Amino acid sequence: MIDDSRFPGPQHPLNTLYTLLDHGAADAPALTAPGRLPLPYAGLRALCERTVASLNRLGVGRGDRVGIVLPNGPEMAAAFLAVACGAVTAPLNPAYRRSELEFYLSDIRAKCLIIERGTASPARDAAGTLGIPLLELEPDSAGPAGEFVLDGPGCGNPGARGFAGAEDVALILHTSGTTSRPKIVPLSHANLGASARHVAASLALTVDDRCLNVMPLFHIHGLVAALLASLGAGGSTCCTPGFNALKFFTWLSEARPTWYTAVPTMHQAVLQRAGRSRSVIDAHPLRFIRSCSAALPVPVLHELEATFNAPVIEAYAMTEAAHQMTSNPLPPGRRRPGSVGIAAGPEVAVMDGSGRFLAPGETGEIVVRGANVTAGYENNPKANEENWTDGWFRTGDQGVMDEDDYIRITGRLKEIINRGGEKVSPKEIDDVLIEHPGIVQVVTFAIPHPGLGEAIGAAVVLAAGGDLDEAGLRAFAGERLARFKVPERIVFVTEIPKGPTGKLQRIGLAEKLGLAS
């Protein structure tokens, strides 16, 4: 178990995002950004206090939902934290189309929407269509990173004034909704605080640590792992405008972080440019690198560790768990490539379809429970009944726990390919194909088939200068996989379609690549 005794427990009456800031010294940097002065903890606490007062004056209080559509950066980080101190935040992807914004704002029943002053955004039109008041955030571009003022029309009467409590909802996010209508996940201050403590404890974060955040701040990964875990440990977060492989090493040199966290596709993009930035890497060593939100191919893990001379810590997380569930330990603990580690805060187990816990080595569904896990989806009793068993949240991920309690994910249950009755894990095929030296990225997926029901397809990105054809790669796979697991179709692409957070997405990929007909 990880030691989070330095942090207040979930039963603490002051377990809120505002009190999470108590671990930072008044003059210590909390938020930084490229080319900006740092915002110290005293300034961040004062900004939270002013924002709650401003929201109350404008008619927004505890329990009121506030949509946030802002670009990645220190103002987005500060706005999320400050607004959550006195209302319910709902960060939305700025790249959404107007119709998508209308759906999400309507679904969460937003009382108001925060956007950046003077920016053209479909969010303005979406809010206008729905009659949602706009609150405009004006960054203090000459001041410390994250400083802003907030103003706008009145929004009625606040639900309740003052600072939120531990059990108040601080954040609502939607599930991805790849196979059904997106579900609303409400996360309380206690949920988020527990997860932030779990991440900080598993990574042994201290006041001397700084995270270089390249993850979007409308996603739980960036909000909890990069931002809240750092602040809860009294450290700092450098808030970039978003992932950019061309600027990554410039930011590394300027921000001097001790770690960064990202999804595997981002790590792979960093590695492609690392050879030209050897001097920066050597001059600014990292204590560790964290990977989460998707499976990290083992060859990529080894290449990252060799390139940065730092341990790579692969973790496992979900929105419903306010992010982290398991993590590989830091040295001298044992990291197991291909594994997502051991329970890192909550309880984790493997269960069969009837709710029976499985023994080590048996494959089933990964389940979790703990202070960081949401109490349930909002207004969705059917989904709650399907996804919770005796207080355990069913993750939808298939996996196995070994004798040492390390979890290995074998696939997403909804993504398992049913090829004529043979159940095939696409991740297993990914792991084989990525071993080919001519491949830098691969994702396996189901293709509709009139006879088999589903056939196996794979999309592959070749290494620079790679010379490989479909027959050659199928032969490579055939030497390592049973015949029925060898992909029937392999397509070579320059880039695999990704979701808004950089994750590769299997569901719907056959259609996107023109293989579904």
Side-chain angles (χ1 to χ4, degrees):
M1 294 293 291
I2 59 175
D3 176 16
D4 62 355
S5 58
R6 293 178 295 150
F7 308 97
Q11 73 286 351
H12 195 289
L14 299 179
N15 181 36
T16 67
L17 299 191
Y18 181 71
T19 59
L20 198 72
L21 302 178
D22 290 346
H23 295 282
D27 59 351
L31 300 179
T32 71
R36 301 282 298 277
L37 296 170
L39 179 65
Y41 274 85
L44 183 55
R45 283 191 282 265
L47 179 61
C48 291
E49 293 161 6
R50 292 197 305 272
T51 301
V52 171
S54 295
L55 289 172
N56 289 172
R57 175 176 54 81
L58 295 168
V60 179
R62 295 164 60 177
D64 292 329
R65 277 93 184 283
V66 180
I68 304 176
V69 178
L70 294 171
N72 231 45
E75 286 76 29
M76 175 62 210
F80 157 69
L81 186 66
V83 173
C85 285
V88 182
T89 62
L92 298 173
N93 186 347
Y96 278 154
R97 297 184 295 272
R98 174 176 172 173
S99 60
E100 292 172 305
L101 289 163
E102 288 180 9
F103 166 77
Y104 287 113
L105 289 169
S106 175
D107 201 41
I108 64 174
R109 306 187 311 280
K111 187 171 187 178
C112 61
L113 173 66
I114 294 177
I115 60 173
E116 188 171 337
R117 183 181 297 278
T119 58
S121 166
R124 287 183 181 272
D125 296 328
T129 298
L130 298 171
I132 296 174
L134 283 177
L135 303 183
E136 301 208 63
L137 179 148
E138 184 168 357
D140 181 0
S141 57
E147 280 280 11
F148 66 83
V149 293
L150 193 64
D151 204 2
C155 304
N157 296 315
R161 297 178 181 273
F163 278 78
E167 299 308 317
D168 284 336
V169 174
L171 171 67
I172 51 177
L173 295 171
H174 281 83
T175 58
S176 57
T178 51
T179 59
S180 62
R181 178 187 174 93
K183 297 182 285 288
I184 297 176
V185 181
L187 296 167
S188 68
H189 284 259
N191 293 149
L192 293 170
S195 193
R197 290 192 303 275
H198 296 161
V199 175
S202 64
L203 300 175
L205 297 182
T206 72
V207 296
D208 297 319
D209 281 305
R210 173 169 297 164
C211 177
L212 179 66
N213 180 47
V214 294
M215 289 297 299
L217 290 171
F218 54 79
H219 188 260
I220 195 72
H221 184 157
L223 291 173
V224 173
L227 180 64
L228 296 184
S230 296
L231 296 177
S236 60
T237 301
C238 177
C239 303
T240 72
F243 180 70
N244 186 326
L246 299 176
K247 295 183 178 180
F248 180 86
F249 291 99
T250 299
W251 293 335
L252 192 67
S253 177
E254 181 180 341
R256 299 174 181 269
T258 58
W259 66 290
Y260 80 94
T261 182
V263 298
T265 53
M266 294 177 181
H267 294 306
Q268 289 170 305
V270 166
L271 285 173
Q272 289 175 8
R273 302 194 63 82
R276 288 167 267 184
S277 304
R278 187 72 257 168
S279 60
V280 175
I281 294 171
D282 292 341
H284 305 288
L286 298 173
R287 185 163 72 84
F288 63 87
I289 295 167
R290 184 175 183 270
S291 186
C292 197
S293 299
L296 180 68
V298 172
V300 176
L301 184 150
H302 289 317
E303 188 178 357
L304 276 170
E305 292 198 337
T307 299
F308 286 90
N309 192 30
V312 172
I313 308 301
E314 187 172 8
Y316 171 42
M318 295 192 78
T319 300
E320 289 90 338
H323 193 53
Q324 182 167 285
M325 297 181 290
T326 71
S327 179
N328 275 273
L330 284 167
R334 184 179 177 187
R335 304 185 308 287
R336 294 192 176 176
S339 160
V340 292
I342 57 178
E347 297 177 83
V348 181
V350 178
M351 185 181 285
D352 69 9
S354 66
R356 180 178 66 91
F357 291 106
L358 300 179
E362 293 187 291
T363 299
E365 184 172 8
I366 301 169
V367 296
V368 61
R369 68 178 180 183
N372 54 307
V373 181
T374 181
Y377 298 117
E378 182 176 286
N379 297 327
N380 201 330
K382 182 175 183 291
N384 289 335
E385 183 178 353
E386 294 171 348
N387 290 276
W388 269 265
T389 298
D390 297 330
W392 291 85
F393 171 66
R394 290 182 169 272
T395 64
D397 288 322
Q398 183 187 80
V400 60
M401 180 182 288
D402 68 17
E403 295 284 352
D404 298 319
D405 297 333
Y406 282 73
I407 291 281
R408 183 170 58 87
I409 299 172
T410 55
R412 186 85 181 142
L413 290 173
K414 290 180 180 178
E415 295 173 350
I416 298 296
I417 301 169
N418 188 345
R419 184 188 181 278
E422 296 279 7
K423 301 297 178 64
V424 180
S425 166
K427 184 179 181 300
E428 178 187 2
I429 301 171
D430 288 353
D431 291 344
V432 167
L433 295 181
I434 197 67
E435 292 287 344
H436 194 291
I439 291 177
V440 295
Q441 207 169 83
V442 60
V443 61
T444 307
F445 54 93
I447 301 174
H449 189 280
L452 297 171
E454 290 180 329
I456 302 170
V460 169
V461 178
L462 294 178
D467 183 17
L468 187 63
D469 61 16
E470 184 174 3
L473 189 51
R474 291 186 79 251
F476 175 85
E479 294 172 357
R480 294 158 176 80
L481 292 167
R483 174 180 282 186
F484 73 88
K485 295 181 181 180
V486 176
E488 279 88 351
R489 290 293 310 275
I490 298 176
V491 294
F492 297 94
V493 295
T494 56
E495 184 177 5
I496 298 172
K498 305 177 185 67
T501 61
K503 291 170 62 176
L504 302 178
Q505 297 183 319
R506 304 182 199 277
I507 295 176
L509 191 54
E511 184 176 357
K512 290 179 182 177
L513 296 176
L515 302 176
S517 57

